[in-house]
Amino acid sequence: MPENIEETDEDAAFLHGFDRILSGAWSAQLLADSLRVLADGVCEVAGFGVAALSVLRDAGHLEIVAVAGNSEAERELLGLTRPISELEKDIADSVAWGTLRFVPHEYVLGREDDMGWVPTFTPLEHEDAWHPLDMLFAPLLDEDGEVRGVLTVDLPVGGLRPGPRQQSLLRRYVDVSSRVVGALLERERAAEELRLAAAARNIVRVASGQLSLDQLIETSQPEIIDGFRAEGMWLHAFDNFGRGADAIYSTDDREVVLPPELVDAAHSAARAAWAAQRVIVISRERPAATGIDPAVFESTLRYFESINVATALLVPLGAGEECLGLLVLVRNPGSREWRRSDARWAREISQDLGRAMFNARTFERERKVLEEVRALDSYKSRLIATVSHELRTPLTGILGYLELLEDAQVGPDTRRQLNVVERNARRLEGLVVDLLTLSRVGDPARPVSPLPVDLRTLVASAVELVGLEAARRNLRIDVVAQEHVVAAGESAELDRLCSNLVSNAVKYSHDGGSVRITLGADADSVTLAVSDDGLGISEADQANLFGEFFRSTNPEALAQPGTGLGLAIVQRIVQRHRGRIEVDSVLGEGSTFTVTLPRA
């Protein structure tokens, strides 16, 4: 309780009532009504003519859910939304009164954004007179300091800006409002999650038993419409050529014919969304979040408006890496915007519906695709091996003649040119060696012949190879090893594994940094962990880290020479030895590669 503020019996009863609501069983409607009671209390006890409560929705907008004190304000404000960026603008323009924020009218003169409801009255002739454009609000924060809502007040009783006592009373209600709004959002979120989970189960149950695309579309439609509370839907299954079964449903039995250009745009958007594993919201409330070309987005919105659609949720359907169709759910004007829970559960069912579509395809097509993939992989392996061998012979000749020219008497310019030729030839030689190694360790016809291999010896050799580079760059290399760290495998491949990991750690460390190599063993396995405090790897790059020829998107990493095959080779060696490799990395903080192999 603030100093010099006495808590009356009415105050205590009021606050105790909210404690009882928050601690007991309550419904969403009861809690929504409580927000109105809270707004009424702000008006009556704290002394304001208008009080409004906003809550933050998933779309990043604040929605006004309770208005008290003035019927005109309630009619104009209730249900309105504004982006949270406007709240940030208000905070930037405000003067802090503890947890309260006051924006004098002179600070907002000339602002072009919508100021909401502005009362009409003549301010008092007083230096602290309240002005129609004055704003007093308080962000409602959760335990982590994140905005959950806003309490806004207007028209202080007496016509003057609130003094210390009135501010203290208002701060008391800010605390209560934060708790109530937080409880409301949690309650709504939990109820919506339970409802959508049940709906998703029904959709999957109905769809999974269908082997015909027509039956799949026919039986899934009512469950999808009801589960996502949509007014209409478009479910489209691609065939082998990208087009296929198509069905459009509307709850009011309207016949909807989509323009061809909109269908083409939806196909492209669905494939892009499936690749990114996301859904797309199409709404004027969130134009920047769609990822669709602006011109296409605008034409789509105009078409939606012509058929009385306010917002749509485009859900790609697929299996594995292939997009097999799309689902578009629509809502009419007056319906609520799509929330994060809608999008999350739409993503959940997208894979189940995609698998149902996949199962509805013929087994012959599946067999044919599998044969094509196997033939392509075999051709790639043969091509790599052939090209590598063909490159090796002329490279050997080039490097041989360069060695003969080392003792030749040539001018400085010629020597520099010869050095450039040798550097590039060595880089090409490294690429050939990597390609041959990749082909060899990726050959399923050449199984591992395991023998006991002491990893401590291999690590010591790898450290010795990078010793000069580490010393030149003032890098410290620490090796911590248990006794008898002996793996079951092929010595040459495990030596390549160790040297690749250690050299990478040195290559991508900052000058003056450190590299730590840890060797351990238990009853069944041995572990090699190589850590550095260097560049680190972004989460996006980690997803493709072991792909062939993959290079990091980090400019600092790209500045280092490399073929993009080192980690692909490491992964194939680990897989051949029935082991596993894990990466723990934070961009800018360093990386740890941990390899676990069978113990000899």
Side-chain angles (χ1 to χ4, degrees):
M1 181 64 60
E3 290 185 13
N4 303 321
I5 299 296
E6 297 180 359
E7 181 176 327
T8 67
D9 293 339
E10 291 180 353
D11 292 341
F14 184 79
L15 296 174
H16 178 69
F18 276 108
D19 287 336
R20 188 173 64 255
I21 291 171
L22 294 174
S23 61
W26 32 260
S27 67
Q29 184 59 50
L30 175 61
L31 202 49
D33 292 341
S34 298
L35 288 182
R36 174 55 190 266
V37 174
L38 182 57
D40 286 333
V42 172
C43 290
E44 296 172 9
V45 180
F48 289 90
V50 177
L53 278 163
S54 306
V55 296
L56 182 65
R57 297 305 189 187
D58 288 338
H61 285 68
L62 290 160
E63 178 186 353
I64 299 177
V65 295
V67 180
N70 186 292
S71 58
E72 180 188 350
E74 184 173 11
R75 283 194 304 271
E76 292 194 23
L77 295 177
L78 195 60
L80 290 183
T81 62
R82 64 196 296 249
I84 196 169
S85 58
E86 291 189 11
L87 172 65
E88 294 167 353
K89 188 185 301 182
D90 291 340
I91 293 175
D93 289 340
S94 68
V95 177
W97 290 353
T99 56
L100 307 178
R101 293 283 180 166
F102 176 63
V103 183
H105 65 276
E106 56 267 23
Y107 287 15
V108 299
L109 291 176
R111 271 180 43 171
E112 297 179 357
D113 54 309
D114 185 7
M115 300 299 295
W117 177 77
V118 177
T120 302
F121 67 92
T122 301
L124 299 176
E125 293 292 337
H126 192 282
E127 61 179 358
D128 289 330
W130 184 265
H131 191 277
L133 290 180
D134 283 344
M135 289 193 295
L136 182 58
F137 65 94
L140 307 179
L141 309 178
D142 61 15
E143 294 179 353
D144 297 323
E146 298 295 325
V147 174
R148 302 291 294 272
V150 179
L151 171 62
T152 306
V153 294
D154 205 340
L155 298 178
V157 174
L160 299 179
R161 294 174 179 177
R165 175 181 175 79
Q166 198 172 13
Q167 292 178 31
S168 297
L169 283 170
L170 189 56
R171 278 193 287 268
R172 185 190 312 171
Y173 280 95
V174 169
D175 178 62
V176 176
S177 299
S178 296
R179 295 166 57 198
V180 174
V181 168
L184 170 61
L185 296 181
E186 292 301 324
R187 173 67 177 183
E188 285 185 335
R189 185 176 294 110
E192 189 69 3
E193 288 286 348
L194 289 174
R195 187 190 65 77
L196 285 171
R201 286 195 298 270
N202 288 335
I203 293 169
V204 172
R205 175 182 55 79
V206 169
S208 60
Q210 308 300 326
L211 292 179
S212 161
L213 284 177
D214 290 336
Q215 290 177 350
L216 171 66
I217 292 174
E218 183 69 26
T219 57
S220 300
Q221 175 264 332
E223 296 292 339
I224 295 173
I225 285 283
D226 183 64
F228 285 91
R229 293 178 176 170
E231 272 79 44
M233 62 170 277
W234 169 30
L235 183 60
H236 184 99
F238 302 160
D239 62 14
N240 297 359
F241 304 100
R243 302 295 171 88
D246 201 334
I248 299 176
Y249 295 93
S250 171
T251 55
D252 55 8
D253 296 326
R254 284 178 298 167
E255 182 178 352
V256 179
V257 179
L258 297 175
E261 59 272 16
L262 191 149
V263 174
D264 292 338
H267 287 188
S268 299
R271 290 190 176 89
W274 181 257
Q277 285 298 290
R278 64 187 181 93
V279 300
I280 298 176
V281 176
I282 304 174
S283 169
R284 287 207 182 275
E285 293 295 324
R286 292 192 286 184
T290 63
I292 301 176
D293 179 82
V296 175
F297 173 77
E298 184 59 34
S299 64
T300 302
L301 282 178
R302 286 197 300 269
Y303 175 75
F304 281 173
E305 290 166 356
S306 72
I307 59 173
N308 197 38
V309 167
T311 183
L313 188 68
L314 188 151
V315 185
L317 308 176
E321 296 182 356
E322 186 177 6
C323 183
L324 303 175
L326 61 90
L327 170 67
V328 177
L329 302 170
V330 301
R331 286 176 177 166
N332 297 339
S335 301
R336 67 172 173 82
E337 184 58 88
W338 302 103
R339 295 179 180 171
R340 189 175 293 114
S341 54
D342 295 315
R344 181 168 57 254
W345 283 103
R347 284 197 302 271
E348 288 288 331
I349 69 164
S350 68
Q351 297 193 25
D352 293 301
L353 286 175
R355 281 192 290 268
M357 289 180 174
F358 184 79
N359 292 334
R361 293 183 173 188
T362 64
F363 289 105
E364 178 60 28
R365 179 177 182 275
E366 182 180 356
R367 181 188 62 80
K368 182 179 179 181
V369 169
L370 184 60
E371 289 178 354
E372 290 176 352
V373 170
R374 286 176 174 170
L376 181 61
D377 189 58
S378 176
Y379 173 76
K380 182 187 69 173
S381 298
R382 293 196 305 271
L383 179 64
I384 289 175
T386 301
V387 170
S388 301
H389 282 291
E390 291 298 323
L391 285 173
R392 196 166 213 177
T393 300
L395 263 178
T396 302
I398 292 171
L399 291 171
Y401 279 108
L402 286 171
E403 289 178 3
L404 291 176
L405 290 172
E406 284 183 359
D407 297 329
Q409 299 296 323
V410 296
D413 290 341
T414 303
R415 176 58 61 192
R416 281 195 298 271
Q417 293 166 356
L418 290 174
N419 289 338
V420 171
V421 173
E422 182 178 10
R423 283 199 305 272
N424 284 282
R426 294 294 181 190
R427 289 181 63 182
L428 190 56
E429 181 186 38
L431 176 60
V432 170
V433 171
D434 282 348
L435 286 171
L436 287 172
T437 303
L438 185 68
S439 176
R440 185 175 64 254
V441 300
D443 186 358
R446 196 182 69 84
V448 173
S449 299
L451 293 172
V453 180
D454 188 343
L455 291 188
R456 296 180 305 167
T457 302
L458 300 185
V459 167
S461 176
V463 171
E464 185 178 1
L465 284 174
V466 299
L468 289 176
E469 174 68 10
R472 184 183 67 82
R473 296 173 52 202
N474 195 27
L475 290 172
R476 189 179 77 253
I477 301 179
D478 298 322
V479 179
V480 179
Q482 296 181 13
E483 297 290 335
H484 309 298
V485 184
V486 182
E490 293 190 2
S491 179
E493 292 188 8
L494 295 183
D495 180 61
R496 183 62 183 269
L497 181 152
C498 293
S499 62
N500 278 12
L501 291 179
V502 172
S503 63
N504 269 5
V506 170
K507 180 193 297 185
Y508 298 114
S509 289
H510 299 295
D511 291 355
S514 64
V515 174
R516 181 181 178 86
I517 305 169
T518 306
L519 289 166
D522 57 26
D524 301 315
S525 61
V526 297
T527 302
L528 165 66
V530 181
S531 302
D532 64 73
D533 53 8
L535 302 182
I537 307 164
S538 68
E539 290 187 12
D541 284 350
Q542 289 180 40
N544 304 302
L545 197 56
F546 298 103
E548 298 164 9
F549 301 104
F550 175 76
R551 297 300 307 276
S552 171
T553 57
N554 184 352
E556 287 188 82
L558 286 174
Q560 300 292 337
T563 63
L565 293 174
L567 289 176
I569 292 171
V570 167
Q571 186 190 50
R572 291 196 181 186
I573 292 174
V574 171
Q575 291 173 341
R576 275 172 48 79
H577 284 74
R578 294 180 294 110
R580 67 179 185 274
I581 183 168
E582 299 171 343
V583 182
D584 182 13
S585 183
V586 177
L587 187 63
E589 297 182 11
S591 306
T592 298
F593 288 81
T594 304
V595 174
T596 303
L597 299 169
R599 184 174 182 176

